[in-house]
Amino acid sequence: MELEEVFSSKPRMKILKLLDKLGQLNVSDIARRIKMNYTITNTHLRLLESEGILKQYTYGKRFRLYSFNEASEKAKAVQNLIQVWEQNKQ
């Protein structure tokens, strides 16, 4: 996936900003907070996970938490961009 594809999606950016702010959330909480349905939210999360930006923790058979992948340089760069952008809003 190209950089512009990650940043051109408003739902993906909402997910990334939300996880930067709150740390980790499950799919249902993310969907509710960004006001999107579960299936679409899950698709965006899986795409961000496949790029190494997010990681998933699975508890039991159905409970999945997502957070930034601290081991990924892409994730660190995205998080840094979000933090700098949010700090310098005018």
Side-chain angles (χ1 to χ4, degrees), residues 7-8 12 14-15 19 30 36 40 43 45 48 50 56-57 59 76 78 81 83 87 90:
F7 291 117
S8 67
R12 282 195 287 275
K14 285 182 176 183
I15 289 168
L19 289 174
I30 294 168
M36 297 202 71
I40 293 172
T43 301
L45 288 165
L48 291 166
S50 73
Q56 175 189 149
Y57 300 98
Y59 296 98
K76 290 176 190 173
V78 169
L81 174 65
Q83 291 167 3
Q87 288 173 358
Q90 303 223 8

Side-chain angles (χ1 to χ4, degrees), residues 16-78:
L16 293 169
K17 286 173 61 177
L18 182 63
L19 289 174
D20 179 63
K21 182 178 180 181
L22 299 177
Q24 66 181 15
L25 289 168
N26 69 37
V27 181
S28 297
D29 284 339
I30 294 168
R32 183 177 44 80
R33 289 171 186 258
I34 66 169
K35 297 177 173 67
M36 297 202 71
N37 74 45
Y38 180 94
T39 303
I40 293 172
T41 301
N42 194 46
T43 301
H44 286 296
L45 288 165
R46 290 194 182 268
L47 187 129
L48 291 166
E49 182 183 18
S50 73
E51 285 298 313
I53 297 169
L54 299 181
K55 64 181 174 181
Q56 175 189 149
Y57 300 98
T58 304
Y59 296 98
K61 293 182 180 181
R62 296 177 47 162
F63 194 73
R64 293 180 290 139
L65 290 175
Y66 280 90
S67 65
F68 272 92
N69 180 359
E70 299 91 21
S72 166
E73 291 300 318
K74 283 183 185 179
K76 290 176 190 173
V78 169

Side-chain angles (χ1 to χ4, degrees), residues 75-86:
K76 290 176 190 173
V78 169
Q79 237 177 335
N80 187 48
L81 174 65
I82 291 168
Q83 291 167 3
V84 169
W85 192 273
E86 293 297 313

